[in-house]
Amino acid sequence: MLDDLRDAVDPEGDRIDAAEFSYLQLNYYRPGRETRDLLQDAHEDGHLLTIVTSRQPGLEFEVDGRFEPANLAPDELLIMPGGILTLMTGGLMQPLVHQVRNVPGLRKRASLMFFVNASVANPPRAWIAARDGTYPDIRQATIESSQMFGLGSIGALAQ
Ligand SMILES: O=C(O)CCC(=O)C(=O)O
Ligand SMILES: [Fe+2]
């Protein structure tokens, strides 16, 4: 899929090596114990892509300024573009903003994400330059995003 994106945007561009720095994350929520309307506020993911699934409702994504339920069937995945893909494409591909609603009556909620990251050991050059003509530092952006939620830095994997 990343190769197809590259071919569409810049066939001469760097191939993304996503094998080593992509990872699975399991989120577990106890909606019944929370008083908040949102279990996760609206955000974009700081990765190239996020592949997400859940058997429980709650995930919503933004379309034309409004949030819509993802309504994933048990055998469905949602593939969401993230902020690093925006950097790779000079702003051409915008991230999908999403949030997790606290659905009344739901006691437990689990979701599984596969976060697709470019290698920080062998980072690609952006396929399209930013508006000011510069090329963003994909390696640095990937490392910084990985630290956003207080998780261990992805940079540690490169050592
Ligand atoms: O729990 C979900 O369905 C989505 C979680 C999410 O957006 C995230 O962890 O970045
Ligand atoms: Fe997210």
Side-chain angles (χ1 to χ4, degrees):
M1 187 173 175
L2 290 171
D3 284 344
D4 288 344
L5 279 170
R6 181 200 58 161
D7 289 347
V9 170
D10 173 14
E12 306 289 302
D14 285 352
R15 272 201 78 196
I16 291 183
D17 166 13
E20 247 182 299
F21 290 85
S22 302
Y23 59 94
L24 276 172
Q25 179 174 300
L26 174 69
N27 286 8
Y28 182 66
Y29 309 80
R30 290 181 169 178
R33 295 192 181 185
E34 306 292 340
T35 53
R36 297 167 43 115
D37 286 340
L38 294 178
L39 301 170
Q40 272 207 44
D41 292 331
H43 66 281
E44 62 182 62
D45 289 345
H47 310 280
L48 288 164
L49 298 169
T50 299
I51 305 171
V52 56
T53 191
S54 175
R55 297 273 170 113
Q56 289 83 40
L59 180 62
E60 299 179 344
F61 56 83
E62 192 182 28
V63 185
D64 296 333
R66 291 173 47 171
F67 282 92
E68 293 184 7
N71 283 335
L72 293 177
D75 61 350
E76 280 180 330
L77 303 163
L78 178 65
I79 303 176
M80 307 192 286
I84 304 293
L85 196 58
T86 307
L87 293 177
M88 281 300 296
T89 58
L92 192 66
M93 290 206 64
Q94 290 293 307
L96 185 65
V97 175
H98 53 284
Q99 63 188 18
V100 182
R101 183 162 299 283
N102 189 350
V103 175
L106 199 63
R107 278 187 49 241
K108 298 174 183 174
R109 179 175 189 278
S111 57
L112 189 63
M113 274 75 56
F114 185 60
F115 293 130
V116 179
N117 290 306
S119 168
V120 304
N122 178 29
R125 188 171 97 133
W127 295 322
I128 301 177
R131 266 202 199 156
D132 63 5
T134 62
Y135 283 83
D137 186 336
I138 299 295
R139 177 180 181 277
Q140 190 57 26
T142 301
I143 292 174
E144 269 170 26
S145 298
S146 75
Q147 295 163 329
M148 240 173 3
F149 299 106
L151 299 172
S153 167
I154 202 172
L157 295 177
Q159 272 136 43

